[in-house]
Amino acid sequence: QVQLVESGGGSVQAGGSLRLSCAASGSTNRLKYMSWFRQAPGKEREGVALIDIGGRTSYADSVMGRFTISQDNAKNTLYLQMNSLEPEDTAIYYCAAGASLVWRNIDLRPLWYAYWGQGTQVTVSS
């Protein structure tokens, strides 16, 4: 099993920055990719960014150029650096991970992810 714990959420004004962290524990050696998702009130969960063991990254169009996903393998920690935040970025942010053998082809759809954190709230005020 894999456990994921997010941290770093909070309240910030538009134009500000936050860095989210996701600490992974358990059978992390089997993971092939990790991602960030978010869910705003009344909306479906949305994929934000992913990174795989080959270093490939992918971003939702809405965050391209503003958010950066990275990982520290020695610390088993995933990060999401969020800059130029907008009120539309307000949501609960979730860390997710998976171990599919077709990891080179996975994308930001929730069906690919077996492990999820509890989420951290990000609120951006105008």
Side-chain angles (χ1 to χ4, degrees):
Q1 277 289 359
V2 174
Q3 295 77 43
L4 304 173
V5 179
E6 302 95 337
S7 61
S11 297
V12 64
Q13 289 192 326
S17 299
L18 281 174
R19 188 176 82 156
L20 305 183
S21 299
C22 172
S25 60
S27 302
T28 58
N29 57 336
R30 62 196 303 259
L31 297 178
K32 300 294 190 292
Y33 44 91
M34 296 185 73
S35 294
W36 289 96
F37 287 77
R38 66 186 181 186
Q39 189 165 17
K43 294 188 176 181
E44 292 188 355
R45 192 166 294 191
E46 171 193 26
V48 174
L50 76 84
I51 187 166
D52 69 23
I53 58 172
R56 174 178 65 105
T57 59
S58 180
Y59 296 90
D61 290 343
S62 57
V63 306
M64 187 80 70
R66 301 187 298 122
F67 291 10
T68 302
I69 189 170
S70 62
Q71 60 187 12
D72 184 332
N73 292 325
K75 296 182 179 180
N76 286 329
T77 302
L78 180 74
Y79 301 100
L80 185 67
Q81 178 66 44
M82 304 186 294
N83 298 328
S84 302
L85 282 161
E86 304 168 352
E88 293 73 24
D89 296 316
T90 295
I92 299 174
Y93 283 70
Y94 298 91
C95 173
S100 172
L101 295 179
V102 293
W103 56 270
R104 290 179 178 86
N105 298 321
I106 63 94
D107 52 29
L108 285 166
R109 286 177 291 170
L111 64 92
W112 289 113
Y113 299 83
Y115 309 104
W116 293 84
Q118 293 300 306
T120 185
Q121 176 71 48
V122 171
T123 302
V124 184
S125 58
S126 57

